[in-house]
Amino acid sequence: MPKQTFFHLSKDKQDTLIHAAKQEFSRVPLHEASIANIIKSAGIPRGSFYQYFEDKDDLFYYLLNQLAEKNNQRFISVLNEKKGDLFETFIATFQFMIEVHRNEEHKNFFKNVYLNMNYKHEKTLTSYVYEEKQKNQFLSSLKLINTSNLNIQDEHELHHVLKILMGVTFQNIVQLFVKEYTSEEALRNYLVQIELLKRGLQKN
């Protein structure tokens, strides 16, 4: 997380630094990224950078945290729009993510994130389910879910259903870049998998 000095900056200065970082992380993956390029683009001294962040990893994971938070807020908004229908919410969310990830402004950043995925990347992007700081928001979103059409017995099983759907969604986003699917191909594959989950995998 950023140091408090970062949050004391004006919004314009924060945005300038974040934009410079995103440009660099779009150019190359995290392990190849250069603090020198970030501070040059942002127009700040190296010493100032370390007053705001511990290192480039700290800045990178702050960006991912921001992304996860926006995704969470959007998911809750769509869940409300879909009247608590979990499957329709995930489908609408996936469609939105395809379009965002195809946008040229964001494409290379996401590509570097997903093609260099590790446990910490994934955990950060899905942190709102697991992190204590997001627990209350997550529990509130559970109450929005219409469970009448779900074959579950309790909230514990609902947690697992969410993890399964998030896992499938996340892997399909990764495959979008690995296989270089078109938007249509990516959505078609995702819908097949969602339909299989809705139908159940074992015959009675």
Side-chain angles (χ1 to χ4, degrees), residues 131-179:
E131 295 297 328
E132 189 66 30
K133 65 182 179 180
Q134 300 290 353
K135 190 173 182 181
N136 290 336
Q137 189 176 19
F138 175 63
L139 291 176
S140 297
S141 69
L142 284 183
K143 297 175 183 177
L144 300 174
I145 298 172
N146 177 10
T147 58
S148 63
N149 63 345
L150 297 176
N151 185 22
I152 58 171
Q153 296 182 351
D154 53 32
E155 191 174 282
H156 178 71
E157 290 190 351
L158 179 57
H159 277 252
H160 285 290
V161 168
L162 280 166
K163 287 181 181 180
I164 290 168
L165 288 170
M166 286 176 61
V168 169
T169 303
F170 196 79
Q171 284 304 310
N172 274 269
I173 289 293
V174 173
Q175 290 300 307
L176 181 64
F177 291 105
V178 173
K179 301 289 181 65

Side-chain angles (χ1 to χ4, degrees), residues 15-150:
D15 289 346
T16 297
L17 179 52
I18 293 303
H19 180 69
K22 194 167 183 180
Q23 280 187 318
E24 180 64 6
F25 295 133
S26 298
R27 186 183 69 84
V28 291
L30 171 61
H31 65 277
E32 296 179 25
S34 163
I35 290 177
N37 287 341
I38 294 173
I39 62 176
K40 181 179 179 181
S41 179
I44 61 172
R46 180 174 285 269
S48 294
F49 177 87
Y50 289 107
Q51 288 180 348
Y52 308 141
F53 294 92
E54 290 291 339
D55 49 30
K56 66 179 181 181
D57 290 53
D58 192 24
L59 175 53
F60 177 77
Y61 286 109
Y62 174 66
L63 288 178
L64 288 194
N65 267 304
Q66 294 295 99
L67 177 61
E69 188 176 332
K70 286 180 181 178
N71 286 343
N72 183 34
Q73 292 170 352
R74 188 179 300 110
F75 182 85
I76 292 173
S77 175
V78 175
L79 191 59
N80 269 309
E81 291 174 11
K82 300 296 182 181
K83 299 184 178 3
D85 188 312
L86 195 57
F87 287 104
E88 288 301 314
T89 299
F90 268 97
I91 291 170
T93 299
F94 183 73
Q95 289 175 305
F96 178 84
M97 291 172 74
I98 288 176
E99 294 310 309
V100 169
H101 289 36
R102 289 298 193 195
N103 183 301
E104 283 302 319
E105 183 183 348
H106 306 296
K107 183 178 179 180
N108 289 333
F109 174 75
F110 288 121
K111 187 173 184 178
N112 283 332
V113 170
Y114 290 120
L115 294 187
N116 294 275
M117 186 61 64
N118 59 32
Y119 173 73
K120 190 174 180 182
H121 284 39
E122 185 170 354
K123 187 174 185 293
T124 303
L125 285 169
T126 57
S127 62
Y128 73 87
V129 173
Y130 305 105
E131 295 297 328
E132 189 66 30
K133 65 182 179 180
Q134 300 290 353
K135 190 173 182 181
N136 290 336
Q137 189 176 19
F138 175 63
L139 291 176
S140 297
S141 69
L142 284 183
K143 297 175 183 177
L144 300 174
I145 298 172
N146 177 10
T147 58
S148 63
N149 63 345
L150 297 176

